[in-house]
């Protein structure tokens, strides 16, 4: 679903009004991310090329593997 200012909600936002996920806006020079529950709140903004790196890092790291790696 596209919202004002080209914000697009994730297809995994859930049922109802879909306020359980994130939204992103794709601009020429950057991609912005925000919490769909608080659209007037803070956003993360990435240069277009860096967004792919960010998403790939999220896919390869999980809380379980990251927490065991940092234990003494």
């Amino acid at each position: 679903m596209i919202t004002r200012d080209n914000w697009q909600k994730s297809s995994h936002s859930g049922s109802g009004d879909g306020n359980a996920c994130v939204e992103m806006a794709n601009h020429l020079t950057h991609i912005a991310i925000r919490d769909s529950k608080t659209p007037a709140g803070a956003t993360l903004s990435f240069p277009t090329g860096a967004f792919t790196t960010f998403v790939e890092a999220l896919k390869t790291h999980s809380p379980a593997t990251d927490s065991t790696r940092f234990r003494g």
Side-chain angles (χ1 to χ4, degrees):
M1 169 195 311
I2 305 280
T3 61
R4 188 172 159 231
D5 296 327
N6 294 321
W7 287 99
Q8 183 174 4
K9 289 188 182 187
S10 168
S11 61
H12 298 283
S13 288
S15 60
D17 58 4
N19 285 332
C21 207
V22 296
E23 297 175 316
M24 67 180 263
N26 191 355
H27 301 282
L28 290 176
T29 60
H30 68 281
I31 294 175
I33 306 285
R34 69 182 181 186
D35 184 342
S36 63
K37 294 181 298 296
T38 55
T43 63
L44 294 174
S45 183
F46 299 89
T48 304
F51 182 71
T52 301
T53 303
F54 172 72
V55 171
E56 290 302 318
L58 291 175
K59 289 179 183 178
T60 59
H61 296 284
S62 73
T65 58
D66 289 346
S67 65
T68 57
R69 191 173 54 179
F70 292 115
R71 289 186 196 157

